[in-house]
Amino acid sequence: MIFNDIVGITRSERESMRMTDRMEAVFFQYGETEIDYLKRKDKRLGEVIDKVGHIYRQADTDLFSSVVHHIVGQQISTKAQESIWNRMICGLGTVSAETVLACGRDELQRFGISFRKADYILSAAEKVMSGEFDPEKIKKKDDAEVIEELSALKGIGVWTAEMILLFCLQRPNVFSFGDLAILRGLRMLYHHREITRERFERYRKRFSPYCSVASLYLWAVAGGTVEGMRDYAPADKHKK
């Protein structure tokens, strides 16, 4: 059973959330070097950067925790994801391979996690404990190797691996063709009806080696942050 509708949190859970809020947040790091480069490379993106300003996107620097968080969030709303995640933090204290395995499948499901997702999370924890999946070693590998390693975990596809690469490992050059919001942002910013793979790769080449920062601003465009922009995809595309 998948709990898409999450009931209200308890007082103890609210207190835990307040403690979490007081902790120093970690954001994806970028600065003038990346911004100046992108503005030189692309006038339209530069205008968006000036309008939007610095984007603070929270990062989770713990690789196992990030894997679990992404598995939890699959096919549910952001609000539901964060409700479940806050329940896990309250219940486990720290989301680690040890605490997950000690918790077990039944307790994970009580947090609102589906049976299948609980199995994915437990499988990842078992691989960490056996040494088959070593977060510290993976951090030292290049982007393609990290994606390959993460994609080998149950419940982690290429797109999820790319998001972990960006928002956990904070790699500077992540640009996901599988991200629908990035494709939407490209259509809106450059007035394209369609983003083919070939066209996408041209933008990747243009923004490299700072594609991750370009991605942040394309997400902002896709989310409607910049007024007056619309999606140029044919009407039937929006219905799919």
Side-chain angles (χ1 to χ4, degrees):
M1 182 182 296
I2 299 177
F3 295 81
N4 286 323
D5 296 319
I6 307 302
V7 298
I9 60 175
T10 66
R11 179 179 296 177
S12 63
E13 288 173 332
R14 285 196 295 271
E15 289 301 321
S16 178
M17 289 170 65
R18 292 191 189 103
M19 290 177 64
T20 301
D21 289 341
R22 287 196 293 268
M23 295 172 64
E24 185 177 354
V26 177
F27 298 98
F28 180 82
Q29 297 296 307
Y30 72 97
E32 293 302 318
T33 298
E34 295 87 346
I35 290 301
D36 290 345
Y37 179 88
L38 292 172
K39 289 171 74 171
R40 288 197 309 271
K41 283 287 189 175
D42 192 287
K43 181 179 178 181
R44 288 191 187 182
L45 183 61
E47 290 172 352
V48 167
I49 290 170
D50 287 338
K51 289 178 180 178
V52 174
H54 192 93
I55 294 175
Y56 293 90
R57 282 293 297 266
Q58 195 160 346
D60 181 355
T61 57
D62 183 274
L63 184 56
F64 179 78
S65 172
S66 185
V67 166
V68 175
H69 200 174
H70 279 83
I71 290 174
V72 167
Q74 291 172 356
Q75 299 180 329
I76 61 174
S77 69
T78 300
K79 182 178 179 181
Q81 178 189 23
E82 291 312 303
S83 294
I84 294 171
W85 188 246
N86 285 321
R87 289 179 185 277
M88 289 190 71
I89 296 298
C90 292
L92 302 181
T94 300
V95 179
S96 66
E98 292 88 347
T99 59
V100 163
L101 289 174
C103 177
R105 181 183 293 104
D106 290 345
E107 191 63 31
L108 287 175
Q109 288 188 270
R110 290 191 185 98
F111 296 140
I113 298 170
S114 71
F115 181 89
R116 179 176 293 180
K117 289 180 182 179
D119 272 354
Y120 292 160
I121 292 168
L122 289 169
S123 174
E126 288 167 355
K127 288 188 176 183
V128 170
M129 296 302 293
S130 70
E132 183 179 348
F133 181 83
D134 187 331
E136 293 307 312
K137 287 183 179 179
I138 289 173
K139 289 178 182 179
K140 299 173 183 178
K141 297 186 177 184
D142 65 32
D143 291 0
E145 290 174 321
V146 172
I147 290 172
E148 183 179 0
E149 291 262 8
L150 289 172
S151 299
L153 296 174
K154 292 181 179 179
I156 301 292
V158 171
W159 175 82
T160 302
E162 290 171 331
M163 295 304 101
I164 294 171
L165 197 65
L166 200 165
F167 291 115
C168 175
L169 302 185
Q170 300 203 51
R171 297 294 174 87
N173 205 31
V174 180
F175 203 50
S176 176
F177 185 68
D179 191 292
L180 298 180
I182 288 180
L183 300 184
R184 174 179 166 84
L186 288 170
R187 292 196 304 267
M188 292 173 69
L189 185 55
Y190 301 104
H191 301 185
H192 296 306
R193 290 170 60 84
E194 181 182 6
I195 303 297
T196 63
R197 186 74 197 220
E198 181 181 3
R199 179 173 281 160
F200 183 86
E201 293 302 326
R202 288 203 297 270
Y203 285 114
R204 185 199 299 275
K205 184 177 179 180
R206 182 184 303 178
F207 301 145
S208 183
Y210 302 123
C211 284
S212 294
V213 177
S215 295
L216 295 181
Y217 286 96
L218 289 168
W219 278 318
V221 169
T225 302
V226 182
E227 293 184 4
M229 288 190 173
R230 66 178 181 86
D231 193 341
Y232 287 82
D236 61 336
K237 291 277 187 180
H238 294 300
K239 297 177 183 178
K240 293 182 179 179

